[in-house]
Amino acid sequence: MFIDSQGNLCPCDFTMLSFGNILEQPVKEIWKKINKKFGVPGNICYANKSNDCIAEKKGRHWPLKIEDSYEVLEQYPSYDPDKIPVFNQKMGMDVKKI
């Protein structure tokens, strides 16, 4: 989790997708939205995966607006349920139940 100087809460400091602003909403509410999209481990760095798409949408706003953030996630989901890291599979993680 990363909170920028303006209060925008992002998944990390390299993935500038905003899911809300802590000056307008409680952190707990924003975190629930992020966790729905990023609550499962992936096999690659999401910032690397989505960087070009985020850069195209950036315009004058940084981080992206919430609606643009969801568009990026539609195009580049944060994880593939069929490619969960081996460690998490061995630990019994079943993402289809999440």
Side-chain angles (χ1 to χ4, degrees), residues 1-23:
M1 173 174 77
F2 173 73
I3 300 171
D4 72 9
S5 62
Q6 304 300 308
N8 296 296
L9 202 148
C10 304
C12 81
D13 54 342
F14 297 109
T15 304
M16 297 304 286
L17 302 175
S18 178
F19 287 85
N21 189 295
I22 64 168
L23 302 175

Side-chain angles (χ1 to χ4, degrees), residues 3 6 8-9 15-16 18 24 26 30-31 34 37 43 46 49 51 55 65 75 78 85 93-94 96-98:
I3 300 171
Q6 304 300 308
N8 296 296
L9 202 148
T15 304
M16 297 304 286
S18 178
E24 300 165 2
I30 302 168
W31 181 249
I34 289 177
K37 298 294 183 181
N43 277 327
Y46 189 76
K49 177 180 178 178
N51 183 56
K65 294 179 182 180
Q75 194 170 358
S78 63
M93 178 178 270
D94 183 357
K96 292 176 175 69
K97 292 182 179 179
I98 296 175

Side-chain angles (χ1 to χ4, degrees), residues 8-95:
N8 296 296
L9 202 148
C10 304
C12 81
D13 54 342
F14 297 109
T15 304
M16 297 304 286
L17 302 175
S18 178
F19 287 85
N21 189 295
I22 64 168
L23 302 175
E24 300 165 2
Q25 287 180 278
V27 171
K28 187 175 182 176
E29 287 179 22
I30 302 168
W31 181 249
K32 285 180 184 180
K33 290 189 275 185
I34 289 177
N35 200 43
K36 284 182 182 179
K37 298 294 183 181
F38 289 91
V40 175
N43 277 327
I44 63 168
C45 171
Y46 189 76
N48 288 336
K49 177 180 178 178
S50 62
N51 183 56
D52 291 342
C53 184
I54 292 172
E56 285 177 15
K57 292 185 174 293
K58 180 183 170 196
R60 302 178 85 179
H61 300 284
W62 197 250
L64 293 184
K65 294 179 182 180
I66 294 171
E67 51 274 2
D68 291 333
S69 296
Y70 280 105
E71 285 180 20
V72 170
L73 281 161
E74 289 279 326
Q75 194 170 358
Y76 295 94
S78 63
Y79 69 94
D80 180 342
D82 297 322
K83 295 181 181 176
I84 298 303
V86 173
F87 172 80
N88 297 89
Q89 291 175 24
K90 287 182 178 182
M91 296 299 292
M93 178 178 270
D94 183 357
V95 297

